[in-house]
Amino acid sequence: MSALAPEKPNEIVITRTVKAPIQRVWQMFTRPEHIQHWWGPNGFTNTIFEMDVRVGGLWRYIMHAPANTDGSPGTNYNNWIRYTTITEPTFMAYEHGGDDPDHAEFNATVTLQDLGDQTQVTLRIILESEAQRKAMAEFGAIEGGEQTLARLDAYLTPTGKPNELNITRTFDALAHSMRQKR
């Protein structure tokens, strides 16, 4: 994973190769039962109100920041995404806003490149100006984007079952058998 040098001074570009085929990764971006578990920086959780992944469709959600060090609740961030382009399973573009439902704060794209049993994910945030990019970077958008894609990668477990916990116990059966014979 790495934050790539932006192609333009008003962009933030983050890429990561994740351990899953492209169709599975597409599902992670388009199904609320998956995206709620990994979307956002470390420690963040999501409440999803609607997710209609189609051109013109809306995804409305709140990102809940983790609790503060003093134990007080973290900040809640209202978010909405309006999809502008969908090309399954390789590309989506969207407008992203917050509290103002009529004004997008930035545009973004997600590009998925098929690498067989892996997929390269590229998140591109397109801002209005270089100054807005600088402000977003200072707010932690680059680190947050890197953490988000790392959480996606962690969610995509090799078993394909992100909520499965495997416990293995090893014991010496021969020693047990010999004790039984005494």
Side-chain angles (χ1 to χ4, degrees):
M1 174 191 55
S2 64
L4 300 175
E7 290 186 14
K8 298 178 182 173
N10 66 319
E11 294 182 346
I12 295 172
V13 181
I14 300 164
T15 189
R16 183 180 183 102
T17 299
V18 297
K19 301 175 215 77
I22 193 169
Q23 196 61 46
R24 179 129 171 86
V25 176
W26 181 260
Q27 291 172 357
M28 299 303 106
F29 275 94
T30 59
R31 295 189 181 171
E33 67 268 24
H34 294 301
I35 203 164
Q36 70 180 347
H37 296 291
W38 62 266
W39 186 257
N42 294 342
F44 279 70
T45 59
N46 299 286
T47 300
I48 297 176
F49 299 104
E50 67 179 297
M51 187 175 199
D52 182 10
V53 183
R54 64 177 175 79
V55 173
L58 194 63
W59 174 23
R60 288 185 323 105
Y61 62 101
I62 294 177
M63 288 183 77
H64 309 281
N68 296 305
T69 55
D70 65 2
S72 63
T75 303
N76 290 325
Y77 297 95
N78 290 316
N79 286 271
W80 58 265
I81 284 176
R82 183 172 297 111
Y83 298 97
T84 57
T85 306
I86 301 288
T87 307
E88 184 177 347
T90 59
F91 183 81
M92 68 174 61
Y94 55 86
E95 302 170 318
H96 189 138
D99 290 322
D100 182 349
D102 298 319
H103 175 71
E105 295 173 8
F106 58 86
N107 293 314
T109 64
V110 175
T111 304
L112 305 180
Q113 181 181 356
D114 188 351
L115 303 175
D117 61 348
Q118 297 185 343
T119 303
Q120 181 175 307
V121 180
T122 301
L123 174 61
R124 180 180 308 272
I125 300 170
I126 306 147
L127 302 150
E128 291 179 8
S129 66
E130 188 173 351
Q132 186 185 17
R133 182 204 185 279
K134 182 180 178 194
M136 291 277 291
E138 288 173 358
F139 182 70
I142 295 170
E143 182 180 359
E146 290 173 345
Q147 290 175 8
T148 298
L149 293 186
R151 289 181 68 192
L152 167 63
D153 198 17
Y155 184 75
L156 291 162
T157 62
T159 64
K161 298 175 184 173
N163 296 324
E164 181 177 275
L165 173 64
N166 293 313
I167 299 173
T168 303
R169 180 174 179 198
T170 304
F171 61 95
D172 188 342
L174 182 58
H176 177 72
S177 174
M178 297 194 71
R179 274 182 267 159
Q180 295 288 64
K181 290 181 180 179
R182 290 185 204 168

